[in-house]
Amino acid sequence: MPSMRAPIGRHGPQLLDCNTTRFRLWAPDAASVALVIVGGETLPMQPEADGWYGVDAPYGAGTLYRFLIDGELQVPDPASRAQAGDVHAPSVVVDPNDYLWRHTDWQGRPWHETVIYELHVGLLGGFAGVEQHLADLAALGVTAIELMPIAEFPGERNWGYDGVLPYAPEAAYGSPTELKQLIDSAHGHGLMVFLDVVYNHFGPDGNYLSRYASPFFRHDQQTPWGDAIDFRRREVRDFFIDNALMWLQEYRFDGLRLDAVHAISERSFLTELAERVRAQAGSERHVHLVLENEDNRASLLEQHYTAQWNDDGHNVLHPLLTDESQGYYADYHPETTTKLARFLAEGFVYQGENNRRGEARGEPSAHLSPTAFVLFLQNHDQVGNRAFGERLVSLAEPDALKAATAAMLLSPMVPLLFMGEEWGARQPFLFFTSHHGELADAVRDGRRNEFAEFAEFADEATRERIPDPNAIATFDASRPDFSARHEPGHAEWLALYRQLLSIRHREIVPRLPGARFFASHVLGEAAVLAKWKLGDGSLLRLELNLGEQAAPLPKAPPGAQLLFASRETVDARDALAPRLARLYLEKNHD
């Protein structure tokens, strides 16, 4: 196994031997803290420097416990490694070495081989349910699965971004052992496993930190979720950095996707996290760190981060496929085709320009490798944040969608698929939670009011049709029916994805190391010609027309190898037919 070793860290329980555990809690606001053993004794914890409390207790793995704050409030361990139920239940001592790994020689895979498949663990039946899909995904050409957040959240149904115990795998999905088995099995299929982690906020239910550790937050900065997390504090930084290292070391995840880092004001925290991960990983193991960052800070991709989700790419392609222009799509209107060409030629569309609110956004990105950008047509946000969770197969003209799919899967950028996309699933992906009482009402009403600015939801009666996030029917409606993937209407999409990924792995992946952006040109409305210089000196040429009219086109040079055409056409001379993508490889270009 690679050289990453578990850091001791101060947050969370540490097994000293099979019968002794060291318990710690950072509680600078507490006058006293005690360890409560469920069904057993209550032990006072000793105050230590800088607001810490600790005790070594004669209990081993499997022990259920809570912390008693000031003799009046029992709370779970914020660094609990597992919960005996939900977020308010007792925490459980876990032995990090209790799983016998089968694929101990797994080192991961280099980034340029990556094809990501984002999935929601709960909708696929928990950790054991996801494991049943691994063989099919590997056969399709996927090389990495990415789990939406699995940190313990309130209730049994949630996207995962309401997590409050970041060290504990969600009990409704399975045990820590079952999660390790899933990752181990994935490695046996040659699949990397990435985890989406949320370090910018805690959910609204089950977070007790403000009661005994208010310095975790800063009141002078607000995020969409409330007070910002105070990454100026050493204890806070270590809480999250040790969490990242736990997932990578104890569970052997191959990488992390950091959610919404634009909501983290202390950039130095992001730099330190990446540096410590790289130092722990060593040179032999492939570990990948991917950002979601609305600020388009390209400079972070030069500081130990592997790649960033390219929302700009999606936000150009989606309106070209659907003609939608409300909300953030307004930033990509007008001159959508010019912005399409820029994204294909330079990565980001916004590289310092003002958005629709007059705010400057982004940094220059053309100097980065195309593989520094994760490209997608759909993901949990872009599908699930629609009022009715429709997928593109229900919104876009089929030939245009096939052309855009070819561009996504055969460009030098790293492609990401969203579960069910590969066979044209028509089940929606809706926003769902399992809150109760006043919080459930607030979430439901808040969800519906988010759409008040959209013309089609201007009246309250229409907004009432938006599914209630807390209803079990909303969750059930979001479950992809994988049994339908070989049926007519779905099998054709599956065959297309399989064909495109086969071409990618055969013709493009071996040439990606050293690839760089080269050029792009607007051919006509919704039509562009883009080229990338690959690592072996060849050029990859994309002819893409998502519009309804043919566009003038310079012919591919003699000897260019046609890799793929999204449909058969009889082109007029020097013209690119509508709703068509063609990709050529121009070898020996140097």
Side-chain angles (χ1 to χ4, degrees):
M1 178 61 194
S3 60
M4 291 184 80
R5 296 180 180 178
I8 294 177
R10 298 194 72 180
H11 293 279
Q14 178 191 353
L15 276 172
L16 301 180
D17 56 46
C18 60
N19 296 311
T20 309
T21 301
R22 176 167 294 162
F23 295 90
R24 293 191 186 96
L25 181 68
W26 186 55
D29 296 333
S32 68
V33 179
L35 173 69
V36 178
I37 302 298
V38 176
E41 59 186 327
T42 297
L43 301 173
M45 298 177 69
Q46 301 305 310
E48 301 172 0
D50 301 320
W52 285 92
Y53 290 82
V55 64
D56 292 354
Y59 298 96
T63 299
L64 276 61
Y65 68 101
R66 289 188 176 100
F67 295 125
L68 177 63
I69 308 297
D70 295 337
E72 62 184 25
L73 176 66
Q74 291 194 24
V75 300
D77 189 338
S80 167
R81 266 43 175 195
Q83 287 294 102
D86 205 5
V87 294
H88 304 286
S91 301
V92 183
V93 176
V94 172
D95 181 354
N97 300 311
D98 65 350
Y99 181 78
L100 184 62
W101 293 87
R102 291 169 290 142
H103 303 286
T104 56
D105 58 347
W106 175 260
Q107 302 279 356
R109 298 181 66 155
W111 177 250
H112 70 275
E113 296 180 358
T114 303
V115 174
I116 304 172
Y117 190 89
E118 187 193 21
L119 60 87
H120 185 278
V121 173
L123 289 174
L124 269 61
F127 301 133
V130 174
E131 190 174 356
Q132 302 306 309
H133 291 271
L134 297 178
D136 286 341
L137 292 174
L140 176 65
V142 167
T143 64
I145 59 172
E146 180 173 311
L147 312 184
M148 289 177 63
I150 61 170
E152 188 72 54
F153 51 73
E156 296 183 347
R157 306 180 305 278
N158 200 291
W159 275 17
Y161 300 92
D162 284 343
V164 293
L165 299 174
Y167 286 76
E170 169 58 39
Y173 295 166
S175 67
T177 296
E178 288 174 307
L179 174 56
K180 291 175 181 178
Q181 181 172 315
L182 165 62
I183 296 168
D184 202 8
S185 296
H187 292 166
H189 286 284
L191 295 168
M192 297 178 284
V193 188
F194 302 155
L195 178 62
D196 194 344
V197 293
V198 182
Y199 294 161
N200 51 57
H201 76 287
F202 292 89
D205 182 14
N207 174 23
Y208 296 94
L209 285 168
S210 59
R211 167 61 179 82
Y212 60 83
S214 61
F216 229 97
F217 307 95
R218 53 185 304 179
H219 309 303
D220 60 329
Q221 287 193 359
Q222 294 295 302
T223 74
W225 310 282
D227 289 344
I229 293 174
D230 193 352
F231 288 100
R232 299 170 300 180
R233 297 294 303 245
R234 181 76 263 160
E235 297 87 355
V236 176
R237 287 191 174 214
D238 287 344
F239 182 85
F240 290 105
I241 292 174
D242 288 348
N243 177 259
L245 293 172
M246 180 202 73
W247 293 124
L248 296 170
Q249 294 175 178
E250 292 183 14
Y251 287 88
R252 304 191 184 184
F253 278 96
D254 298 282
L256 304 174
R257 181 260 193 190
L258 278 67
D259 176 70
V261 300
H262 49 269
I264 296 174
S265 60
E266 286 74 27
R267 177 170 175 157
S268 61
F269 161 73
L270 296 172
T271 303
E272 181 184 352
L273 184 152
E275 288 173 347
R276 287 180 60 180
V277 165
R278 298 302 176 199
Q280 291 284 339
S283 59
E284 295 183 357
R285 186 179 175 195
H286 296 286
V287 172
H288 308 299
L289 296 176
V290 181
L291 298 169
E292 181 197 23
N293 186 359
E294 287 185 3
D295 291 341
N296 281 2
R297 282 186 285 181
S299 52
L300 280 171
L301 300 174
E302 301 169 327
Q303 296 178 319
H304 303 296
Y305 284 93
T306 311
Q308 177 176 316
W309 277 27
N310 193 355
D311 286 325
D312 279 3
H314 168 273
N315 294 350
V316 166
L317 289 165
H318 184 95
L320 287 171
L321 292 170
T322 65
D323 202 33
E324 295 178 1
S325 60
Q326 298 188 76
Y328 48 74
Y329 294 131
D331 282 337
Y332 301 86
H333 287 269
E335 300 181 347
T336 308
T337 307
T338 300
K339 290 169 180 167
L340 171 66
R342 189 179 204 195
F343 129 70
L344 292 171
E346 301 182 20
F348 292 142
V349 171
Y350 282 88
Q351 302 181 32
E353 294 80 9
N354 288 345
N355 61 17
R356 68 189 185 282
R357 300 187 180 95
E359 302 163 338
R361 173 174 174 247
E363 297 173 347
S365 59
H367 62 288
L368 298 170
S369 168
T371 59
F373 301 89
V374 176
L375 179 58
F376 44 83
L377 294 176
Q378 303 176 86
N379 62 33
H380 75 273
D381 269 332
Q382 306 299 351
V383 179
N385 283 331
R386 301 179 64 83
F388 298 107
E390 307 99 325
R391 295 168 177 263
L392 273 177
V393 71
S394 300
L395 301 170
E397 194 280 331
D399 283 339
L401 182 54
K402 290 174 184 176
T405 299
M408 174 186 69
L409 294 181
L410 296 183
S411 90
M413 301 183 213
V414 170
L416 178 144
L417 286 60
F418 184 59
M419 60 177 187
E421 169 188 339
E422 73 279 12
W423 47 270
R426 291 187 177 272
Q427 289 81 19
F429 179 71
L430 299 162
F431 178 68
F432 50 79
T433 58
S434 48
H435 297 308
H436 303 282
E438 292 182 0
L439 180 57
D441 294 338
V443 169
R444 181 190 63 245
D445 295 342
R447 171 70 173 171
R448 290 171 174 170
N449 289 334
E450 286 178 8
F451 295 94
E453 66 179 272
F454 292 83
E456 60 266 41
F457 297 105
D459 65 280
E460 186 174 349
T462 303
R463 294 198 296 275
E464 290 291 325
R465 296 174 45 235
I466 297 174
D468 179 356
N470 298 290
I472 185 65
T474 302
F475 176 81
D476 289 339
S478 301
R479 196 187 305 274
D481 181 9
F482 282 88
S483 66
R485 67 187 185 277
H486 297 298
E487 295 178 358
H490 295 300
E492 294 83 357
W493 282 106
L494 187 61
L496 173 65
Y497 275 73
R498 183 176 288 115
Q499 178 189 10
L500 289 168
L501 288 174
S502 176
I503 294 170
R504 180 180 186 85
H505 288 300
R506 183 178 68 248
E507 300 290 351
I508 297 174
V509 166
R511 298 179 167 92
L512 282 181
R516 63 182 189 270
F517 292 107
F518 191 72
S520 67
H521 309 282
V522 172
L523 302 175
E525 185 66 29
V528 296
L529 170 64
K531 296 181 180 182
W532 299 273
K533 191 71 169 290
L534 301 181
D536 66 349
S538 60
L539 284 181
L540 182 64
R541 171 189 171 111
L542 168 65
E543 301 171 356
L544 179 64
N545 185 355
L546 298 178
E548 298 179 359
Q549 303 296 324
L553 174 70
K555 288 295 185 182
Q561 176 189 356
L562 177 64
L563 297 181
F564 180 79
S566 61
R567 64 186 180 90
E568 294 183 3
T569 63
V570 180
D571 288 339
R573 181 176 177 84
D574 300 327
L576 179 62
R579 294 167 177 165
L580 174 67
R582 279 195 300 247
L583 286 105
Y584 291 90
L585 189 64
E586 302 175 22
K587 297 181 180 178
N588 303 317
H589 187 267
D590 289 340

